[in-house]
Amino acid sequence: MTQPQPHVVVVPYPGSGNINPALQLVQVLRHHGVFVTFVVTEHNLRRAQQAADTEGAVSGREGFRIETIPDGLVDADRDQQDYDLGLSKATTHRCAAPLRELVARLRGDGGGGETPDVPPVTCVLPTALMSFALEVARELGVPSMVLWTSSAAALMGHMRLRELRERGYLPLKDDSCLTNGYLETTIIDWIPDMPPISLGDISSFVRTTDPDDFGLWFNDTKANNCTKAGALIINTFDALEPDVLAALRAEYPRIYTVGPLGALLPRRHHDDEAATGGSLDLSLWKHDTECLAWLDAQAPGSVVYANFGSLTVVTAALLAEFAWGLAATGRPFLWVIREDLVAGGPAASSLLPAFAAETAARGRVAAWCPQEEIGGTCVWRLKERWFIQMKGIIRPKLIPCTNNY
């Protein structure tokens, strides 16, 4: 008897940092003959279609389809400084029901139902921040996997946020802990198979004095919910983090490493792109490709790259403060400033003329950019060890950055 084609429903958190690695994983799955339904929010699909002819580019590809669900926000919520926090709350509390309806429809009755020419759903695969999808899969009797888009060390650290609370490290006693060196001098040396690290290195979400802080709860819960999936996929590789992966596998044996996806895919699947329809792109903004020529003209290892990501919203005052910080480096810089980065108005108009005049000869501002083509390496420092997430390998012009994760 011929086995039906596997059909995976991929559900990424609606930010570029989750969408992009999920799409990279989709390319791997398609290479192995898996049918994929990629679930995006209605808002993000509209944005992607505005940035490029996305619908025409990807909707007709063999073995791949896009479906949408609402993200639970109204447009007024998207211009707020806490937009990313509001999005996390909305997806957590309002997206399960529409996803349940979608998966039920895709399953049909006997493998067709309302969606002809689509094989029966055999797996639901969210990124970790959409772990409510695991409960949807359980309710519908569908196997599940989950994608952790970052390093194994980051997962282990986030899994221990709950224990940090139980041991009295969190929340912080008062605001002075943010500036008096407490985060740097408080050493955590009891996390399995991880070197001693400072409290501030575990996660940015430890920086709170609020016992009910949603960000802390959200990241603790989502990391630990990974264990509810039938298997866990991590965007890393065994030789990079052998000890941490061994500790995780001792508790959760079904862990698979597939990374670094961004660096490996161009090499492994270049010859397959024609057969599968090319690489997939759901960029939420139009790429400024002219910045690549500017970057190529700079000296190797000389450029500071700054990008607030796809969700952060800041005040005009904070943008100006950051601008003068870039100016103070004295180095060439490539700064991505989304049009909706500043609450209440266009971001570019918030930059001071004096800043633009001082940095015109060595700075480049782009509305968005093809990040993988820019290249560079993000490095997380964990005391004696360095955990590296390669963003790309094409233009090594950037200064390796250190982020106390």
Side-chain angles (χ1 to χ4, degrees), residues 153-173:
L155 175 60
M156 180 69 86
H158 280 81
M159 282 181 164
R160 291 305 185 274
L161 290 174
R162 190 168 303 170
E163 189 170 354
L164 286 168
R165 186 191 293 269
E166 293 169 352
R167 292 185 179 222
Y169 292 96
L170 300 176
L172 302 179
K173 304 304 180 188

Side-chain angles (χ1 to χ4, degrees), residues 3 30 73 81 112 127 135 144 149 160 173 178 182 192 229 237 241 257 268 321 324 327 346 351 353 364 378:
Q3 293 294 322
R30 293 173 70 217
L73 294 176
Q81 192 172 353
T127 60
E135 181 63 21
S144 64
T149 59
R160 291 305 185 274
K173 304 304 180 188
L178 298 170
Y182 174 78
F237 56 101
E241 307 179 82
T257 56
R268 288 189 175 181
E321 183 177 355
W324 287 115
L351 289 178
R364 175 85 186 198
C378 287

Side-chain angles (χ1 to χ4, degrees), residues 125-139:
L125 199 165
T127 60
L129 299 185
M130 299 289 269
S131 63
F132 65 84
L134 301 175
E135 181 63 21
V136 170
R138 188 194 65 78
E139 292 173 1

Side-chain angles (χ1 to χ4, degrees), residues 62-290:
E62 182 179 355
F64 179 84
R65 61 184 287 124
I66 288 179
E67 292 277 0
T68 61
I69 59 174
D71 62 13
L73 294 176
V74 297
D75 287 341
D77 296 331
R78 306 183 196 282
D79 192 34
Q80 304 300 314
Q81 192 172 353
D82 60 352
Y83 167 47
D84 53 347
L85 182 64
L87 183 61
S88 297
K89 290 179 178 179
T91 54
T92 298
H93 299 301
R94 301 173 191 166
C95 285
L99 180 65
R100 187 181 299 109
E101 294 174 4
L102 170 60
V103 176
R105 172 169 59 83
L106 291 173
R107 290 178 70 201
D109 183 11
E114 299 177 34
T115 50
D117 302 321
V118 173
V121 174
T122 54
C123 182
V124 172
L125 199 165
T127 60
L129 299 185
M130 299 289 269
S131 63
F132 65 84
L134 301 175
E135 181 63 21
V136 170
R138 188 194 65 78
E139 292 173 1
L140 296 176
V142 179
S144 64
M145 304 178 79
V146 66
L147 172 63
W148 180 263
T149 59
S150 187
S151 67
L155 175 60
M156 180 69 86
H158 280 81
M159 282 181 164
R160 291 305 185 274
L161 290 174
R162 190 168 303 170
E163 189 170 354
L164 286 168
R165 186 191 293 269
E166 293 169 352
R167 292 185 179 222
Y169 292 96
L170 300 176
L172 302 179
K173 304 304 180 188
D174 54 58
D175 288 339
S176 67
C177 294
L178 298 170
T179 56
N180 64 9
Y182 174 78
L183 292 170
E184 291 72 35
T185 59
T186 301
I187 303 302
I188 307 299
D189 58 4
W190 41 263
I191 300 179
D193 287 297
M194 282 180 60
I197 58 177
S198 64
L199 178 60
D201 282 339
I202 290 178
S203 168
S204 60
F205 294 95
V206 304
R207 293 166 171 79
T208 181
T209 59
D210 181 3
D212 299 317
D213 184 84
F214 178 81
L216 183 62
W217 173 88
F218 180 76
N219 285 272
D220 167 14
T221 301
K222 298 303 179 180
N224 284 285
N225 279 351
C226 287
T227 63
K228 298 179 180 180
L232 171 59
I233 302 170
I234 305 180
N235 190 12
T236 188
F237 56 101
D238 288 69
L240 182 64
E241 307 179 82
D243 296 340
V244 177
L245 285 166
L248 286 170
R249 285 179 173 132
E251 297 184 65
Y252 319 108
R254 292 190 181 90
I255 291 179
Y256 303 98
T257 56
V258 296
L261 288 167
L264 294 179
L265 274 175
R267 298 177 180 180
R268 288 189 175 181
H269 300 287
H270 178 74
D271 294 336
D272 301 315
E273 286 190 353
T276 60
S279 61
L280 302 173
D281 183 18
L282 275 173
S283 176
L284 304 182
W285 289 271
K286 186 175 179 62
H287 291 310
D288 174 8
T289 55
E290 294 180 3

